[in-house]
Amino acid sequence: MGTSQRSGCPINLTLELLGDQWSLIVIRDIMFGRRRHFRELITKSEEGIASNVLADRLRRLVENGLLSKRDDPAHKQKAIYSLTEASIELVPLLVQVGAWGRRHTPADPVLAKRAKQLEEGGPKKWKALMAHLRASHIGPPSA
Amino acid sequence: MGTSQRSGCPINLTLELLGDQWSLIVIRDIMFGRRRHFRELITKSEEGIASNVLADRLRRLVENGLLSKRDDPAHKQKAIYSLTEASIELVPLLVQVGAWGRRHTPADPVLAKRAKQLEEGGPKKWKALMAHLRASHIGPPSA
DNA sequence: CCCAACCAGTTGCAATATGCAATCGGTTCC
DNA sequence: GGAACCGATTGCATATTGCAACTGGTTGGG
């Protein structure tokens, strides 16, 4: 799946990276669900991702610059996954995915609440969220 | 793949419908590439979709209300595929997919040109495009 | 010190999906 | 009447997914 390069269309290239059932779910959980470790992603997964698939997706997302991985200083075995600038810039895309899902799928109103707030908050709110994510995943600019 | 219902999250439900390598490519080609027939989608496909996969995706997209299918009055064998209101409302989502791809993938500048224009045109331009698509795919409101 | 719980994955296997090329029965054009 | 065109379908090799069990190592409490 690596260097396929079906075409240079930006939509196609994005789908080659993220067009599967799980990649955006993993990013959603890290972005909105505050998960940072493998175990958290597995055990708190609403959709029940399999551990081998999660391992594969995390590896590929890191490989493609959508996540970064580092050791947890407090625990030799724990790995901390963080969003990168590239994945933080998926916020507007995810907002539109949520907005469409809210209107055209039988989405649970409770789960759709955050999607609705982000959608109605507009670009201003998205940018605030993105700034917040940068602070907690990438750290201050001079760090 | 039918009634999986992994969760009621709007992002998840959207990915269950459209989260694969080809569905959004097919919609992109119908939406921006003015393809309306099976043959057009196959022979003019930049990415080279296989005919069995295209047949499957068209069937599923029709089944899920993202496309409609009708007979071509001018040719007994031809089927005309049209966008529906649901897929026309994917415009903002596709704009964001294109916008992200333009920034974060090695997209061809020529192919990225329309993505750039739509992105920079803002919601006003998207709505104009959506109105145009409604006119040519769904027909006038009182028809 | 010891053991249970926890850590990030890996392995094996069956089921499913994809990619590819050839082909089908029917239609239309010349 | 024959070639080109129509929307698919078929058969087959390969790749991906889902599931459950398991691995080697770490940590914290008693």
Side-chain angles (χ1 to χ4, degrees):
Chain A
M1 209 187 256
T3 48
S4 35
Q5 279 287 103
R6 302 187 300 194
S7 86
C9 166
I11 291 177
N12 173 62
L13 289 167
T14 302
L15 287 175
E16 288 191 30
L17 284 179
L18 301 169
D20 71 284
Q21 293 283 318
W22 293 110
S23 295
L24 284 178
I25 293 288
V26 171
I27 289 172
R28 177 205 65 182
D29 282 349
I30 296 176
M31 187 176 279
F32 300 110
R34 304 184 187 285
R35 325 254 201 273
R36 303 295 289 263
H37 308 289
F38 191 96
R39 280 290 158 174
E40 284 179 322
L41 287 162
I42 280 284
T43 60
K44 299 182 186 171
S45 170
E46 185 89 15
E47 288 87 10
I49 189 171
S51 62
N52 54 347
V53 176
L54 174 60
D56 179 71
R57 290 304 178 280
L58 287 172
R59 187 184 49 73
R60 274 176 40 194
L61 289 170
V62 168
E63 208 172 281
N64 291 315
L66 289 155
L67 293 177
S68 67
K69 179 182 181 178
R70 63 187 158 89
D71 294 338
D72 185 337
H75 191 302
K76 282 187 183 173
Q77 268 183 314
K78 276 188 180 171
I80 301 178
Y81 290 95
S82 302
L83 300 173
T84 61
E85 180 60 28
S87 50
I88 290 171
E89 290 184 15
L90 287 170
V91 164
L93 192 158
L94 284 168
V95 168
Q96 294 300 336
V97 172
W100 190 89
R102 232 165 48 78
R103 296 177 204 288
H104 298 282
T105 71
D108 180 335
V110 176
L111 294 176
K113 204 164 189 177
R114 184 181 45 223
K116 187 182 180 193
Q117 288 173 346
L118 263 174
E119 184 188 341
E120 291 174 350
K124 203 167 186 171
K125 191 136 192 171
W126 313 346
K127 282 175 191 166
L129 168 62
M130 289 166 71
H132 181 78
L133 290 171
R134 279 187 195 98
S136 57
H137 285 259
I138 302 180
S142 54
Chain B
M1 209 188 255
T3 49
S4 35
Q5 276 290 98
R6 304 189 298 197
S7 88
C9 166
I11 291 178
N12 173 61
L13 289 167
T14 303
L15 288 175
E16 287 190 32
L17 285 179
L18 302 170
D20 71 282
Q21 292 285 315
W22 293 111
S23 295
L24 284 178
I25 293 288
V26 170
I27 289 173
R28 178 205 63 183
D29 281 349
I30 296 176
M31 189 175 278
F32 299 111
R34 305 183 186 287
R35 326 252 200 273
R36 302 293 289 263
H37 307 291
F38 190 96
R39 283 287 164 179
E40 285 178 322
L41 287 162
I42 279 284
T43 59
K44 299 183 186 171
S45 170
E46 185 87 17
E47 289 86 10
I49 188 171
S51 63
N52 54 348
V53 176
L54 174 60
D56 178 72
R57 290 305 178 280
L58 287 171
R59 187 184 50 73
R60 276 176 38 193
L61 289 170
V62 168
E63 208 172 281
N64 291 315
L66 289 154
L67 293 178
S68 68
K69 179 183 181 176
R70 63 187 159 91
D71 293 338
D72 185 336
H75 190 302
K76 282 187 183 172
Q77 269 182 314
K78 276 187 178 171
I80 301 180
Y81 291 96
S82 302
L83 299 173
T84 62
E85 181 60 26
S87 49
I88 290 171
E89 290 185 14
L90 286 171
V91 165
L93 193 158
L94 284 167
V95 168
Q96 294 300 335
V97 172
W100 190 89
R102 235 166 43 78
R103 296 177 205 287
H104 297 283
T105 71
D108 179 336
V110 176
L111 294 176
K113 203 166 190 177
R114 182 181 48 223
K116 188 183 179 191
Q117 287 171 348
L118 262 174
E119 184 188 342
E120 291 174 350
K124 203 167 187 171
K125 190 135 193 171
W126 313 345
K127 282 174 191 166
L129 168 61
M130 289 165 71
H132 180 77
L133 291 171
R134 279 188 196 98
S136 57
H137 285 260
I138 303 180
S142 54

